[in-house]
Amino acid sequence: LAWDAPGYGRSAHLPMDMPSAQDYAERLWSWLDALYVAQPVLLAGHSLGALMVASAARVRPQSVSRLVLLAPARGYGDAPLAERERVVQGRLNNLQQLGPQGMALARGAAMLSPDASPVLLAAVRETMAQIDPTGYAQAVQMLGQGKLVEALKLVRCPVTVASGEADTVTPPAGCDLVAQALTSERISLGPVGHACPLEAAPAVNALLDLPTLG
């Protein structure tokens, strides 16, 4: 099951201006419960999604068998206030100045490695151009206050951390720190960028115990 988080795809955004990771986690459980999904479940979170699924595992530990964190965003809740404000305001300014389509054109290539195919680049830009401004702004606020490493200290299930070597959004060194906090090692997905589920689909499917098609 692939989830459109609140404010993404066709999912309604959250009612508050500055949601926390737990607000997203509670919406995730509401969705899974509405679908009568058998639990415990394996939860995979990519980038910002890592903050959401870590919180989901903390909220309902008995309902999660394993977490897979792909190119995890650590959040800036532990960063100095000036850095936190710079990151949050910088992203919000980009949204205001460029709009979703402008951001897609300006930032789409940064989601992939330099060797990514034009087809993948077009797919990333198409997805980014559909961002809901309110939903994106809420996610940025969640990133600003997120504390992934701290949340993972309260998670009871096994956790796998994986990312690509050409990721400039959540660089390998930062993902290594997440894995080290779990006293484990990051799994390298090879020379791929931040959108590793696209560029390294077979490897990601293997981590999720999914069959590879084709």
mmCIF file with all atom_site columns, all heavy atoms in Angstrom, residues 70 105 140 184 197:
data_model
loop_
_atom_site.group_PDB
_atom_site.id
_atom_site.type_symbol
_atom_site.label_atom_id
_atom_site.label_alt_id
_atom_site.label_comp_id
_atom_site.label_asym_id
_atom_site.label_entity_id
_atom_site.label_seq_id
_atom_site.pdbx_PDB_ins_code
_atom_site.Cartn_x
_atom_site.Cartn_y
_atom_site.Cartn_z
_atom_site.occupancy
_atom_site.B_iso_or_equiv
_atom_site.pdbx_formal_charge
_atom_site.auth_seq_id
_atom_site.auth_comp_id
_atom_site.auth_asym_id
_atom_site.auth_atom_id
_atom_site.pdbx_PDB_model_num
ATOM 1  N N   . LEU A 1 70  ? 14.168 5.090  4.222   1.00 0.00 ? 70  LEU A N   1
ATOM 2  C CA  . LEU A 1 70  ? 14.856 5.317  2.957   1.00 0.00 ? 70  LEU A CA  1
ATOM 3  C C   . LEU A 1 70  ? 15.233 6.790  2.842   1.00 0.00 ? 70  LEU A C   1
ATOM 4  O O   . LEU A 1 70  ? 14.349 7.661  2.899   1.00 0.00 ? 70  LEU A O   1
ATOM 5  C CB  . LEU A 1 70  ? 13.960 4.919  1.787   1.00 0.00 ? 70  LEU A CB  1
ATOM 6  C CG  . LEU A 1 70  ? 13.468 3.463  1.786   1.00 0.00 ? 70  LEU A CG  1
ATOM 7  C CD1 . LEU A 1 70  ? 12.370 3.274  0.752   1.00 0.00 ? 70  LEU A CD1 1
ATOM 8  C CD2 . LEU A 1 70  ? 14.626 2.508  1.525   1.00 0.00 ? 70  LEU A CD2 1
ATOM 9  N N   . LEU A 1 105 ? 10.762 22.504 -11.652 1.00 0.00 ? 105 LEU A N   1
ATOM 10 C CA  . LEU A 1 105 ? 11.784 22.750 -12.667 1.00 0.00 ? 105 LEU A CA  1
ATOM 11 C C   . LEU A 1 105 ? 13.136 23.051 -12.037 1.00 0.00 ? 105 LEU A C   1
ATOM 12 O O   . LEU A 1 105 ? 14.181 22.605 -12.520 1.00 0.00 ? 105 LEU A O   1
ATOM 13 C CB  . LEU A 1 105 ? 11.361 23.915 -13.564 1.00 0.00 ? 105 LEU A CB  1
ATOM 14 C CG  . LEU A 1 105 ? 10.193 23.639 -14.518 1.00 0.00 ? 105 LEU A CG  1
ATOM 15 C CD1 . LEU A 1 105 ? 9.774  24.920 -15.228 1.00 0.00 ? 105 LEU A CD1 1
ATOM 16 C CD2 . LEU A 1 105 ? 10.579 22.568 -15.538 1.00 0.00 ? 105 LEU A CD2 1
ATOM 17 N N   . VAL A 1 140 ? 6.887  21.146 5.785   1.00 0.00 ? 140 VAL A N   1
ATOM 18 C CA  . VAL A 1 140 ? 8.108  21.896 6.098   1.00 0.00 ? 140 VAL A CA  1
ATOM 19 C C   . VAL A 1 140 ? 8.151  22.238 7.589   1.00 0.00 ? 140 VAL A C   1
ATOM 20 O O   . VAL A 1 140 ? 9.205  22.137 8.237   1.00 0.00 ? 140 VAL A O   1
ATOM 21 C CB  . VAL A 1 140 ? 8.195  23.170 5.235   1.00 0.00 ? 140 VAL A CB  1
ATOM 22 C CG1 . VAL A 1 140 ? 9.306  24.085 5.732   1.00 0.00 ? 140 VAL A CG1 1
ATOM 23 C CG2 . VAL A 1 140 ? 8.441  22.802 3.776   1.00 0.00 ? 140 VAL A CG2 1
ATOM 24 N N   . SER A 1 184 ? 23.687 0.277  14.196  1.00 0.00 ? 184 SER A N   1
ATOM 25 C CA  . SER A 1 184 ? 23.713 -0.552 12.992  1.00 0.00 ? 184 SER A CA  1
ATOM 26 C C   . SER A 1 184 ? 24.425 0.222  11.888  1.00 0.00 ? 184 SER A C   1
ATOM 27 O O   . SER A 1 184 ? 24.937 1.317  12.121  1.00 0.00 ? 184 SER A O   1
ATOM 28 C CB  . SER A 1 184 ? 22.295 -0.923 12.558  1.00 0.00 ? 184 SER A CB  1
ATOM 29 O OG  . SER A 1 184 ? 21.568 0.229  12.175  1.00 0.00 ? 184 SER A OG  1
ATOM 30 N N   . PRO A 1 197 ? 13.685 5.239  -4.202  1.00 0.00 ? 197 PRO A N   1
ATOM 31 C CA  . PRO A 1 197 ? 12.703 4.235  -4.618  1.00 0.00 ? 197 PRO A CA  1
ATOM 32 C C   . PRO A 1 197 ? 12.501 4.174  -6.127  1.00 0.00 ? 197 PRO A C   1
ATOM 33 O O   . PRO A 1 197 ? 12.094 3.145  -6.661  1.00 0.00 ? 197 PRO A O   1
ATOM 34 C CB  . PRO A 1 197 ? 11.422 4.682  -3.905  1.00 0.00 ? 197 PRO A CB  1
ATOM 35 C CG  . PRO A 1 197 ? 11.902 5.439  -2.707  1.00 0.00 ? 197 PRO A CG  1
ATOM 36 C CD  . PRO A 1 197 ? 13.123 6.172  -3.202  1.00 0.00 ? 197 PRO A CD  1
#
